[in-house]
Amino acid sequence: MFFVLFVFVYLFNNAPPIHFSLKPFPVFSSQHHHFFHHFLFESKVCSSTMVFYRSVSLLSKLRNRVVQQPSLTNSVRWLQIQTSSDLDLHSQLKELIPEQQERLKKIKSEYGKVELGKITVDMVLGGMRGMTGLLWETSLLDPDEGIRFRGLSIPECQKVLPAAKPGGEPLPEGLLWLLLTGKVPTKEQVDALSKELRSRATIPDHVYKTIDALPVTAHPMTQFTTGVMALQTQSEFSKAYEKGIHKSKYWEPTFEDSLSLIAQVPAVAAYVYRRMYKGGERIGVDESLDYGANFAHMLGFDGPEIQELMRLYVTIHSDHEGGNVSAHTGHLVSSALSDPYLSFAAALNGLAGPLHGLANQEVLLWIKSVVADCGENVTTDQLKDYIWKTLNSGKVVPGFGHGVLRKTDPRYMCQREFAMKHLPNDPLFQLVSKLYDVVPPILTELGKVKNPWPNVDAHSGVLLNYYGLTEARYYTVLFGVSRSIGICSQLVWDRALGLPLERPKSVTMEWLENKCKK
């Protein structure tokens, strides 16, 4: 018995780093199961089998070794403990894909005729809001809970994803691994992925020349999208398709393109910033830094706090399920078998719209207009008057409301927590805090807004401004870099699952009138 307990304690204290999958399998892995049985057999301690299984039960209950994941229905399921030390993301996907392909086939064969809801005229005329019509594996948005990345909320991701330092913000590479595999990676896996991304980050010289052909005054998103399009010449998917690759292998060159694209967009985005605002001097990749910190470095910001902010920013902006303009655009274009570069460039053009990604620049500009009009020490009454002035002029208060969410955006809240920790006395942050108290009641009084609460854009600009990244016109580019992680992860699964060309039915007003008169 003592020997068995010794083995149990040794294994628990010396087990390889664990990470979690989103499948409700038993919490004790087969590797550990076989490990114990080997010792039990060799030591001929069969009489201690009951002690072993009790130890297994205790292990599964230890709070600091597992994660409970509340589902959207408030139920709880245990996440599988993984002990794999495989550092190769490609091989992990290769193991996962066949299982998910069979899962999709089963859903189609067993539930293909199940109705998911009714379509109303309001949905057709209202931008298809509330209409379920896309498969998007990497994240799911709940109106009340906010975004979940592979089932994990933002606070949960902050707890379980590896960080650059203890208690720090999650590394974006960790979220990329999670979105692609559904598993929380180890720090070693994240470090390996970070190294691979750095190895793919070299930018061909023609990309810089293509951007330089544009006026330096062109909008940053125009320059950024042009750079992404110029990267397309290296597409592995395009080359493989021209050579006649079998459709069952589409996902592999898509994976290669996606990793390269994710690796390269920070350097392209940083060049746009340096060209527009810093005289055009490029800053290269630092081989010692992770993805978020390197992005800040290439922009020209090397402080530890802004590196932490960039890690947080990229992580929380990476994905927001598939129905938003940029994600849906990327999926739509990719469904025509356009490669990830073409698909992501199209997504960026959607992101550049004022009703989508451009909103984050509008928020900071509006906040600064409040300060210019009322001063930094604006009173609550002055703020109310300015808000009504904005609304009565036919404009919206930027940063408030959301097409799906019906509560405060969790992405706003984690940025607020960052500000309270690092810049509690910043005047603009204090103004944002006042807006959080003042704006929602006014929008509720207006009666036309389903969600009066702040979204992610209401806070990000103030944080960036505090650390010296003051050029609001550039902020959507930061959003675009982040969104590459979510969109490209889903593109890999689009090809792995063999999702078809997207082709919804459209109708005319006459058709609607005739249909509704019947």
Side-chain angles (χ1 to χ4, degrees):
M1 178 182 296
F2 288 112
F3 179 74
V4 174
L5 290 176
F6 169 77
V7 172
F8 170 75
V9 173
Y10 174 85
L11 178 62
F12 182 74
N13 288 330
N14 295 276
I18 62 174
H19 62 279
F20 306 97
S21 170
L22 301 184
K23 299 175 185 176
F25 291 113
V27 299
F28 200 71
S29 75
S30 59
Q31 290 183 3
H32 286 178
H33 184 84
H34 294 153
F35 181 91
F36 268 102
H37 271 286
H38 173 75
F39 273 87
L40 290 173
F41 179 78
E42 292 295 323
S43 304
K44 302 184 185 299
V45 288
C46 297
S47 62
S48 300
T49 302
M50 184 60 69
V51 174
F52 161 68
Y53 281 110
R54 286 175 179 172
S55 300
V56 170
S57 177
L58 288 171
L59 177 62
S60 70
K61 294 177 182 178
L62 286 174
R63 183 175 55 189
N64 65 332
R65 302 293 280 183
V66 295
V67 174
Q68 288 185 341
Q69 180 206 343
S71 74
L72 298 183
T73 57
N74 295 320
S75 64
V76 173
R77 62 178 178 173
W78 292 101
L79 305 184
Q80 181 187 11
I81 294 181
Q82 298 287 322
T83 58
S84 171
S85 59
D86 189 354
L87 304 181
D88 181 31
L89 185 55
H90 181 275
S91 64
Q92 291 259 331
L93 278 171
K94 200 167 185 176
E95 291 181 8
L96 290 168
I97 284 171
E99 177 187 340
Q100 296 305 309
Q101 289 172 334
E102 289 303 312
R103 182 184 179 194
L104 183 65
K105 289 179 182 177
K106 184 177 180 181
I107 291 173
K108 290 174 69 175
S109 63
E110 294 186 7
Y111 309 119
K113 304 302 180 183
V114 174
E115 293 185 2
L116 298 180
K118 295 181 179 180
I119 296 175
T120 66
V121 174
D122 279 342
M123 291 177 175
V124 174
L125 301 180
M128 299 191 289
R129 289 174 187 258
M131 190 185 297
T132 301
L134 290 173
L135 180 66
W136 194 268
E137 284 291 283
T138 51
S139 63
L140 184 67
L141 181 60
D142 180 81
D144 295 318
E145 292 192 351
I147 194 65
R148 284 186 175 271
F149 302 118
R150 289 286 189 169
L152 297 177
S153 68
I154 287 176
E156 288 168 341
C157 285
Q158 288 178 300
K159 291 178 182 177
V160 302
L161 287 179
K165 60 181 183 180
E169 300 298 341
L171 292 165
E173 298 94 316
L175 186 73
L176 173 58
W177 189 290
L178 173 66
L179 294 184
L180 280 169
T181 68
K183 301 174 185 178
V184 175
T186 65
K187 183 62 164 62
E188 290 76 13
Q189 288 169 326
V190 168
D191 288 344
L193 179 55
S194 184
K195 182 178 180 180
E196 178 169 2
L197 291 175
R198 287 194 298 270
S199 73
R200 293 171 177 256
T202 302
I203 307 298
D205 192 55
H206 76 266
V207 175
Y208 296 122
K209 292 179 179 178
T210 302
I211 295 172
D212 287 342
L214 294 170
V216 73
T217 55
H219 193 279
M221 283 297 287
T222 302
Q223 299 187 48
F224 183 39
T225 306
T226 299
V228 171
M229 285 292 292
L231 287 170
Q232 191 274 341
T233 57
Q234 63 186 3
S235 171
E236 294 297 326
F237 180 87
S238 179
K239 296 171 186 175
Y241 188 82
E242 288 181 3
K243 293 178 181 178
I245 185 174
H246 192 276
K247 63 181 180 180
S248 64
K249 301 291 185 181
Y250 282 171
W251 76 268
E252 296 193 70
T254 299
F255 172 80
E256 292 299 319
D257 279 357
S258 294
L259 274 198
S260 294
L261 175 60
I262 291 167
Q264 291 172 316
V265 288
V268 174
Y271 178 66
V272 171
Y273 180 79
R274 303 292 299 178
R275 178 177 186 251
M276 292 188 69
Y277 306 113
K278 304 297 178 181
E281 181 184 357
R282 295 204 302 262
I283 300 175
V285 170
D286 185 329
E287 294 295 330
S288 69
L289 297 177
D290 57 83
Y291 189 85
N294 239 323
F295 187 23
H297 167 71
M298 288 187 288
L299 289 168
F301 301 94
D302 287 311
E305 285 189 14
I306 193 171
Q307 290 179 349
E308 275 288 271
L309 173 61
M310 199 60 70
R311 294 173 185 127
L312 176 65
Y313 184 100
V314 173
T315 298
I316 66 175
H317 284 81
S318 64
D319 204 28
H320 217 229
E321 77 168 26
N324 64 77
V325 171
S326 56
H328 186 193
T329 300
H331 170 81
L332 170 64
V333 174
S334 176
S335 76
L337 296 187
S338 298
D339 63 62
Y341 294 95
L342 297 175
S343 302
F344 185 63
L348 288 177
N349 286 324
L351 190 70
L355 296 182
H356 191 17
L358 204 68
N360 59 6
Q361 82 171 37
E362 299 300 319
V363 172
L364 184 62
L365 294 176
W366 185 82
I367 288 174
K368 287 186 173 182
S369 74
V370 174
V371 174
D373 198 68
C374 306
E376 284 190 353
N377 298 317
V378 57
T379 66
T380 300
D381 287 339
Q382 286 177 313
L383 197 53
K384 288 180 179 179
D385 290 341
Y386 195 87
I387 293 166
W388 278 113
K389 177 183 175 182
T390 299
L391 295 171
N392 291 333
S393 67
K395 300 177 182 178
V396 299
V397 178
F400 285 79
H402 192 273
V404 177
L405 286 169
R406 294 297 173 260
K407 290 187 177 179
T408 299
D409 193 335
R411 299 172 299 173
Y412 172 94
M413 292 307 299
C414 69
Q415 290 182 100
R416 176 174 172 80
E417 290 167 3
F418 185 95
M420 292 174 70
K421 179 180 179 180
H422 296 289
L423 50 139
N425 298 319
D426 177 60
L428 290 185
F429 167 60
Q430 293 177 344
L431 177 54
V432 166
S433 297
K434 286 183 180 179
L435 289 169
Y436 184 42
D437 295 327
V438 174
V439 173
I442 291 177
L443 295 181
T444 301
E445 181 183 342
L446 195 63
K448 298 180 181 179
V449 180
K450 293 182 179 179
N451 173 22
W453 304 105
N455 58 49
V456 65
D457 297 320
H459 218 307
S460 56
V462 167
L463 296 178
L464 296 166
N465 183 81
Y466 177 80
Y467 289 107
L469 213 168
T470 59
E471 297 84 2
R473 291 184 78 219
Y474 183 78
Y475 288 173
T476 310
V477 176
L478 303 175
F479 199 161
V481 171
S482 309
R483 195 49 64 92
S484 69
I485 291 175
I487 291 175
C488 289
S489 294
Q490 181 60 39
L491 293 189
V492 174
W493 279 103
D494 287 351
R495 297 289 74 79
L497 296 173
L499 298 187
L501 175 71
E502 185 177 319
R503 180 59 171 89
K505 180 73 175 75
S506 64
V507 296
T508 64
M509 285 195 288
E510 181 182 5
W511 187 95
L512 286 174
E513 290 168 338
N514 293 335
K515 178 72 174 179
C516 295
K517 288 176 182 177
K518 292 181 180 179

